[in-house]
Amino acid sequence: MESISRISSLLESARELTLDAAQSARSSRSAVKTLPAAQIKKLLDSRNEREVLEGLRKVISMMYRSLPTLTFFSSVVKNVASPNIEIKKLVYIYLLAHAESEPDLALLSINTIQKSLSDQSPTVRALALKTMSGIRVPVISQIVSLAIKKGLADMSPHVRKAAALAVPKCYRLDPGTRNQLIEYLAVLLGDRQYFVAGAAVTAFLEVCPERLDLVHPHYRGLVKKVVDMDEWSQLATLRLMTVYARKCFPRRTRRVAKKSNGSTTTKGFYDDDGDEGEQEETGEVEQVLDPDLEMLLKNIKPLLQSRNSAVVVAVTRCYINLGTQEYISLSIGPLIALLRGPQDIQHMALFNIVSVCLTQPEAFVKYASHFLVHSTDPPQVWELKLELLTLIFPHCDAYLKSLILNELEHFSQGSDKELVREAVRAIGRCAQSDARTSARCLRLLLKQITSLDGNLVAESLTVIRHLIQQDPASHTNTVIRLAKNLDTATNPRARASIIWLVGEFAGNDGEDNIAADVLRILAKGFADEAEPAKLQIVLLAAKVYLHHLNRSEPEPQKPTAAQPIASPDYSSAGNEGFAELDGPSQISFSPPPPEPEHPIVMLWNYILLLARYDTSYDLRDRTRLYKSLLGVPSSTQLASLMLLAPKPVPHTPSPSESRTGFTLGSASLVIGEEGGLHGLRGYEPLPDWVKAGDEPDPSLREGDVTKAEYESNRVVPAGERLDSAIKESRMGTSPAGTNGFGAAAAGPGKEKTLDDWLAEDEVDKEEVEEEETEDEESEQEEDDEEAEDESEEPSSEEASDAEEESSDENEHDRLVK
């Protein structure tokens, strides 16, 4: 009969599985059809588990399609007590989504969920705890807190992990429970299971990130567990450890002394030992790592091979902000390996690589081939690649420099306008960073002047202007060549750059300079120029006229000997109009012929006249300023200081230099200062290193919670209690450890072997024989006494049972404590 019933149950199970599989296949092949609400409610109210499960699936499907499902709330919630785990999961999913809409009905299910916290299955207990903490009804905050407390002492690590994940949910539900939750976190951080500790770290960073005193006793344990955690817990732990190291480990350094034979030795700041003649101070300072900090840096080294790119970046952030140059060099290769990923990962990795390269460009030189632009790269990728090439350019050898310039030259002659402009700017940055290659870069840029793209010509001329300002004396011919291109240049920015350069060289070679001729040509078409070019023409005219004034300034006359003053002749007084015309004393009244004006003066006055009637307010105001400065001889020196002062050499910064202050791996590093008026909200920079002497006592990190005595008010997880009980039993402190007979023969801390048992049996036999020979005469009396003792005292079996019960009670009391 039993076999028949077993076969029938198996057939029924197989039938149910077949029906479920067929229904799933049919639903996957056909389009999703929504049943009427009455039919769905009928399925939910059915007593058949399969129909209830089908109804719940329909409701969840409607819920994820944003269809109204609130009308089924009462029918769904009453199935929360179902013993079927599948039904229970779907009901919990529905509750989490609709509890805020119907808080009163959701509270009716709290009692049933609380009962599930004591279920035999750890999956059900963890799911119940997750659901209770996810029901966002502030009234149940204390109930959730008690459920978390109960989950701390659960034997299953999955339930303890659910308790750790429920801590931030309870804190968001009611911030008043923060003190209780901090006590729970103090226990969870010391859990032996790595996935429980990882979840506890995530909750710690949200609830109380400033309470680093809770981390002290668990620091070394967390460092050892971080390799085994999941990726999200690793990110949280690495972020916590970076902040912890900055606040708890002072930055200590030491100087490096170089011996006469070339080897290096370390020397402290206050060490004066050694021969001064054999050592030479190099001034280099290296960081001295704390032992606990070095343990962290060594333990996270395997994470550089993580499959998660965010973990690799997080480890690099630790090495950059905490480690020495040795550890920084270890993280460069894994960072470059991220470029083999998809384009979105590649884009984010390039931002972090550029941030590291701004401070450590030498380390990326050997990876220059990874930064070459590919034809399939999107604009946001090749912009960062070009920036990386310019950053490592001054640190490369001659071959790599030639390779980079060839690549930039190729892209500067392409068809993509944006790529061409970025390539031109990159050439300019390369020329600024290495003066030895500026001549070749200038030749490459001069080829772009004849381009039909006016913006490209303007960009090239801007870069050329910067290069000329670095060494003006050797670029006179370059300025003449640029001036010849004024006839073909049409872009206002390009013409303005050329005119400005001509004005800067207007003082060279005296009157043989080309500036006056360029001004004469430009004055003819002044009315047709754009406003940027007009402003530069007026400035050029002012500089040319000022140089003319400085060259033609009269020298002060030297005082000569006094000459006798002729006495006036009054003989012809009153006869002025009657003097003879042909007499020897004839007076001429014709004025002397005026001196012709200099062409530069005429050009200056003509430019002033043209600018006087221009429509631009800015142009008219600047013209009046220049006219006032140059119209008074006493202000010529002031005009020279304003117009002819040497200009500082411009330096074009790298586009990412504005993001150097952001932490590696943060979103602000990608967005930069474009995230609004004050950047992205929520960004927290790394704290500064703690000052030496203000750091916490290192002995705080030596404590081990598992070895400490359990306090009466401390909640001890069940896993720790079992571990400690097993350890004590192995040490021989419990009855089980001595097999019920004591540990005298086997020694403390050792279990009895078979030889010990046999030896004890032989000793017992000899003792029994001796007693029998000695007490042979009084055997009858002893029997009588034993009979009396049996009538008055309990039997030996009852005594042994009582002893075992008392020992079990003592062990139970000790475990509870």
Side-chain angles (χ1 to χ4, degrees):
M1 293 297 293
E2 293 180 359
S3 60
I4 295 175
S5 60
R6 184 178 180 184
I7 292 172
S8 62
S9 62
L10 291 175
L11 291 174
E12 183 67 21
S13 301
R15 178 175 174 273
E16 292 180 357
L17 292 174
T18 305
L19 290 175
D20 292 341
Q23 188 173 4
S24 300
R26 183 170 61 253
S27 61
S28 62
R29 287 195 304 267
S30 61
V32 179
K33 296 181 180 180
T34 304
L35 296 178
Q39 188 174 353
I40 294 177
K41 195 170 184 180
K42 182 179 179 181
L43 291 174
L44 295 173
D45 295 337
S46 175
R47 293 185 179 181
N48 190 349
E49 290 186 355
R50 188 184 300 107
E51 293 182 356
V52 173
L53 189 60
E54 176 65 20
L56 286 173
R57 287 173 178 170
K58 295 291 183 183
V59 172
I60 299 300
S61 175
M62 292 172 62
M63 185 179 71
Y64 283 108
R65 283 183 288 157
S66 300
L67 297 177
T69 56
L70 194 58
T71 56
F72 308 112
F73 194 91
S74 57
S75 300
V76 172
V77 170
K78 71 180 183 180
N79 293 305
V80 71
S82 174
N84 191 328
I85 185 64
E86 297 296 331
I87 294 177
K88 196 181 291 289
K89 286 180 180 179
L90 294 178
V91 172
Y92 285 165
I93 293 173
Y94 183 87
L95 267 176
L96 292 175
H98 296 85
E100 285 183 294
S101 302
E102 292 288 342
D104 296 333
L105 293 177
L107 291 176
L108 298 177
S109 62
I110 295 298
N111 189 22
T112 306
I113 297 176
Q114 277 186 297
K115 292 180 180 179
S116 298
L117 294 174
S118 303
D119 195 273
Q120 294 181 355
S121 174
T123 304
V124 175
R125 297 199 301 269
L127 190 60
L129 184 55
K130 177 183 177 181
T131 306
M132 184 177 292
S133 61
I135 296 177
R136 293 176 291 274
V137 180
V139 182
I140 64 171
S141 60
Q142 291 298 328
I143 300 178
V144 175
S145 178
L146 293 176
I148 295 174
K149 184 177 181 180
K150 185 176 181 180
L152 298 184
D154 199 284
M155 296 176 61
S156 174
H158 298 283
V159 181
R160 300 200 297 273
K161 179 181 178 181
L165 296 176
V167 168
K169 298 179 182 178
C170 184
Y171 176 70
R172 290 193 294 266
L173 191 64
D174 183 10
T177 59
R178 185 173 183 268
N179 294 331
Q180 302 175 10
L181 300 177
I182 290 176
E183 295 179 2
Y184 303 157
L185 287 175
V187 179
L188 290 169
L189 287 172
D191 199 281
R192 290 181 177 272
Q193 293 295 332
Y194 57 88
F195 49 87
V196 180
V201 170
T202 306
F204 173 84
L205 289 176
E206 184 171 349
V207 176
C208 53
E210 74 283 353
R211 290 292 305 273
L212 294 180
D213 56 309
L214 302 178
V215 184
H216 293 322
H218 312 299
Y219 170 80
R220 296 175 182 174
L222 291 174
V223 169
K224 295 177 181 177
K225 297 170 189 171
V226 67
V227 181
D228 300 321
M229 295 179 182
D230 59 278
E231 286 88 350
W232 300 109
S233 299
Q234 287 173 350
L235 293 176
T237 306
L238 290 173
R239 185 166 69 252
L240 172 63
M241 291 305 166
T242 306
V243 176
Y244 181 89
R246 282 293 190 100
K247 290 187 176 181
C248 298
F249 302 124
R251 186 179 179 86
R252 296 186 176 91
T253 57
R254 60 185 176 185
R255 290 181 301 184
V256 178
K258 186 177 181 180
K259 292 185 178 181
S260 57
N261 57 3
S263 60
T264 59
T265 58
T266 57
K267 182 179 180 181
F269 279 109
Y270 304 103
D271 295 340
D272 296 331
D273 299 335
D275 189 4
E276 296 181 356
E278 297 181 357
Q279 293 184 356
E280 178 185 357
E281 294 296 337
T282 60
E284 297 180 2
V285 178
E286 64 178 10
Q287 184 179 356
V288 180
L289 297 177
D290 188 274
D292 285 333
L293 177 57
E294 191 170 5
M295 180 180 71
L296 168 66
L297 299 177
K298 288 182 178 179
N299 278 272
I300 63 177
K301 181 180 176 181
L303 296 181
L304 290 173
Q305 281 75 40
S306 176
R307 61 182 179 181
N308 193 319
S309 59
V311 176
V312 177
V313 174
V315 176
T316 307
R317 180 178 64 241
C318 286
Y319 283 167
I320 293 292
N321 297 295
L322 304 177
T324 59
Q325 185 61 40
E326 176 186 358
Y327 289 101
I328 296 175
S329 302
L330 291 175
S331 62
I332 302 300
L335 266 184
I336 300 298
L338 298 180
L339 298 180
R340 295 195 292 264
Q343 284 188 352
D344 53 346
I345 301 297
Q346 186 179 4
H347 186 205
M348 296 299 105
L350 281 171
F351 275 110
N352 293 279
I353 291 173
V354 170
S355 180
V356 179
C357 190
L358 286 170
T359 56
Q360 308 283 338
E362 302 89 352
F364 292 89
V365 172
K366 59 182 179 179
Y367 302 105
S369 59
H370 293 76
F371 308 140
L372 299 179
V373 180
H374 300 158
S375 59
T376 57
D377 289 339
Q380 62 270 19
V381 171
W382 54 250
E383 285 179 2
L384 295 171
K385 285 188 174 182
L386 291 180
E387 184 178 359
L388 283 168
L389 290 176
T390 58
L391 288 175
I392 66 175
F393 182 80
H395 306 280
C396 297
D397 55 11
Y399 172 75
L400 284 179
K401 287 181 180 179
S402 178
L403 176 63
I404 293 173
L405 290 179
N406 288 336
E407 286 289 319
L408 296 179
E409 181 183 5
H410 170 72
F411 291 116
S412 65
Q413 298 172 356
S415 58
D416 190 347
K417 295 182 179 180
E418 292 296 329
L419 180 57
V420 169
R421 291 171 192 166
E422 289 297 327
V424 169
R425 293 173 184 172
I427 291 174
R429 292 198 297 271
C430 290
Q432 288 182 355
S433 60
D434 189 1
R436 292 174 295 181
T437 59
S438 59
R440 181 180 178 183
C441 295
L442 187 61
R443 289 195 301 271
L444 296 178
L445 294 172
L446 288 174
K447 295 179 182 179
Q448 306 295 335
I449 298 177
T450 58
S451 175
L452 298 177
D453 187 358
N455 293 326
L456 173 60
V457 175
E459 195 68 43
S460 301
L461 285 172
T462 302
V463 178
I464 290 172
R465 177 167 58 86
H466 293 171
L467 296 179
I468 291 176
Q469 285 184 261
Q470 291 181 354
D471 189 11
S474 59
H475 290 92
T476 304
N477 295 330
T478 306
V479 175
I480 297 174
R481 179 179 175 181
L482 293 175
K484 293 179 181 179
N485 288 274
L486 280 173
D487 297 334
T488 58
T490 57
N491 187 273
R493 287 176 51 203
R495 295 180 66 84
S497 297
I498 295 175
I499 296 170
W500 185 88
L501 282 172
V502 173
E504 284 295 304
F505 285 82
N508 294 353
D509 300 332
E511 295 183 355
D512 296 334
N513 196 276
I514 65 169
D517 289 334
V518 173
L519 179 62
R520 176 180 57 83
I521 297 172
L522 292 172
K524 295 178 182 179
F526 182 84
D528 299 329
E529 296 282 355
E531 184 176 351
K534 286 181 180 180
L535 291 172
Q536 295 301 325
I537 291 173
V538 172
L539 179 59
L540 174 62
K543 290 180 179 179
V544 171
Y545 181 62
L546 181 57
H547 284 298
H548 170 69
L549 291 179
N550 291 334
R551 287 194 299 266
S552 61
E553 184 178 5
E555 297 181 0
Q557 295 182 358
K558 298 180 181 180
T560 57
Q563 299 179 357
I565 301 175
S567 60
D569 186 8
Y570 299 103
S571 60
S572 60
N575 299 322
E576 295 86 354
F578 302 95
E580 296 181 1
L581 296 177
D582 53 351
S585 60
Q586 182 180 3
I587 300 175
S588 177
F589 290 95
S590 60
E595 297 181 2
E597 288 187 351
H598 197 278
I600 292 179
V601 179
M602 296 174 65
L603 273 175
W604 169 244
N605 292 329
Y606 181 65
I607 294 295
L608 291 179
L609 185 62
L610 291 174
R612 180 179 180 181
Y613 298 101
D614 197 85
T615 57
S616 174
Y617 291 96
D618 190 14
L619 182 63
R620 296 201 301 268
D621 291 343
R622 293 194 184 189
T623 304
R624 282 194 291 268
L625 173 63
Y626 298 150
K627 182 179 179 181
S628 301
L629 281 174
L630 300 176
V632 182
S634 60
S635 62
T636 305
Q637 187 177 4
L638 177 61
S640 300
L641 291 176
M642 291 183 60
L643 301 179
L644 305 180
K647 309 300 187 295
V649 178
H651 175 71
T652 305
S654 184
S656 298
E657 283 191 7
S658 59
R659 295 193 292 263
T660 53
F662 295 108
T663 307
L664 205 67
S666 61
S668 297
L669 179 65
V670 177
I671 297 178
E673 299 178 353
E674 301 174 1
L677 182 61
H678 302 291
L680 289 179
R681 294 184 179 180
Y683 173 77
E684 295 182 1
L686 288 178
D688 296 330
W689 291 91
V690 64
K691 295 182 180 179
D694 296 341
E695 72 275 9
D697 189 3
S699 61
L700 296 174
R701 292 186 289 272
E702 297 178 359
D704 190 356
V705 178
T706 57
K707 294 181 180 179
E709 295 182 359
Y710 296 121
E711 299 176 355
S712 58
N713 58 351
R714 179 177 178 270
V715 180
V716 183
E720 291 187 10
R721 297 193 311 203
L722 290 175
D723 292 339
S724 60
I726 293 173
K727 190 172 183 180
E728 290 177 358
S729 66
R730 290 177 178 176
M731 294 299 294
T733 57
S734 65
T738 57
N739 299 323
F741 289 94
K750 283 180 64 178
E751 294 184 0
K752 290 186 178 182
T753 59
L754 181 60
D755 296 334
D756 297 333
W757 281 100
L758 295 175
E760 286 185 359
D761 292 340
E762 293 178 358
V763 172
D764 292 338
K765 289 179 181 179
E766 293 177 357
E767 291 177 354
V768 169
E769 290 177 358
E770 291 178 357
E771 290 176 357
E772 288 178 355
T773 54
E774 291 177 355
D775 301 336
E776 196 174 26
E777 298 177 355
S778 57
E779 185 176 3
Q780 186 64 34
E781 296 177 359
E782 290 178 357
D783 292 338
D784 296 338
E785 292 176 358
E786 287 178 0
E788 293 176 359
D789 292 338
E790 288 177 359
S791 61
E792 295 178 359
E793 297 179 358
S795 62
S796 60
E797 294 179 357
E798 293 177 354
S800 61
D801 295 337
E803 289 177 359
E804 291 179 359
E805 290 178 359
S806 61
S807 62
D808 293 339
E809 290 177 356
N810 293 335
E811 184 179 0
H812 176 71
D813 295 338
R814 181 178 55 77
L815 290 177
V816 170
K817 290 180 181 179

